[in-house]
Amino acid sequence: MYKLLPGIMLSLLILSGCSGNDPASVQQRLIVQPDDGRAPILEAIGSAKNNIRLTIYAITDLKSVVPQTPLAPDNSIVQALIDKAKSGVNVRVIVDQNQYTSGSSAALVQQTYKALSDAGVSIRKSSTAFCFTHQKTFVIDGPTATNAGSSGKAIIMSLNLTPGYFGGTRDYAVITTESGVVREISNVFDADFLLPDSPNPCSYAHAPVSTFPPPYPSDTPALSEASLLWSPVNSKTKLMQLIGSAKQSLVLTTEEMTDTDMVCLIKAVAQSSAKPSVRILLSGDTGSNGPAVNTLLGLGLPNLTIRVMPGQSTQSNPVAYPTTLYMHGKQVIVDGIQAFVGSENLTNTSLLQNRELGTLFTEPAMINRLQSVFNNDFTSTGSSNPAQVCPSCKPIACPAIP
């Protein structure tokens, strides 16, 4: 069942380069948090001349939004959006309906929502067709009906836009000017912005394999960009192809890892005759991640190592062995030549029930930086701790490898 697929994603990325700009004119940039701070995002917002599209899970990065710790600075992301809207730029925002209605920070999200709306931003809550709109993406000066040739740029992120994500978490983002990518993200945003609530709202299922209701193809416009991973449409297929292609090394970070197919695929990769180095960084080794940790550590393989970054201990998140940062970022590096960054966790909900977005890339400088950051988090004292087997967590049952 878990057949390894070498080279598939590299071929897809080569083909995708034929659909947009001359590769020499495409600019891609990796953002790492908290190292790079708000500056790259503020720079992108500041460059907007016509329009900004933003799909975001949680947004409270505004100084007047209280009480929150830490407080946002004067030059916050939301303030930059407000300033652009007041200057005449068409700013549209989709915010996850759960975060607005019932999340732990709902009151702060509602304050931010009102501040944006009062400034002239067109803002709406996401459709209940998706369990969560967990996507975190900007489009700056993307194509419009009156200017279809505008290409602009996109920022595909794992981080939320709240003050804590600019200092307390490890997160990643990719800025790209590839015109086909910017166009497709713009098209999906425009469709999601108009998508009504479903008569059969998505029912959240954290279970490893079940999903109800199934995703409706009509909820997502036509997709063609091989480098983009969209949930609930193709994220799982493309991530499994990428991870399954590993022959020399697999590097992976995620906050949550519960999907049975993903865990069993990683197990198959680690057990394959190539014996690639498999290194994983998680937010923790208990709770929802416990069964996956038990399944993989239980193999006793010298080529498979898992470490955790639970962050600093708080009242809501007591941590026995704190680390400098909390692992919230989602990234994969295969054989040092192919990489993924996005909003997708390795869970059934994230891959098959949510609206999510990630991107694949092969740019060596970006991969080298991503690998360097991972190596530092994986090996530096205080950055991560060895994962431990959870005695009360039942391992995931994987089918036998043929």
Side-chain angles (χ1 to χ4, degrees), residues 115-132:
L116 286 165
S117 180
D118 288 349
V121 172
S122 297
I123 186 167
R124 65 152 293 182
K125 298 184 286 294
S126 62
S127 170
T128 58
F130 311 114
C131 278
F132 296 90

Side-chain angles (χ1 to χ4, degrees), residues 18-80:
C18 301
S19 64
N21 308 77
D22 173 359
S25 68
V26 175
Q27 295 182 351
Q28 287 185 307
R29 177 182 176 187
L30 178 70
I31 299 174
V32 177
Q33 296 296 353
D35 306 42
D36 296 338
R38 293 173 176 82
I41 301 174
L42 290 173
E43 179 183 359
I45 294 172
S47 71
K49 299 292 190 291
N50 181 269
N51 66 82
I52 297 173
R53 296 168 169 96
L54 170 63
T55 301
I56 193 68
Y57 180 62
I59 181 167
T60 65
D61 194 45
L62 183 64
K63 189 174 183 178
S64 63
V65 172
V66 292
Q68 60 180 332
T69 305
L71 288 172
D74 290 329
N75 61 332
S76 67
I77 303 298
V78 176
Q79 187 61 54

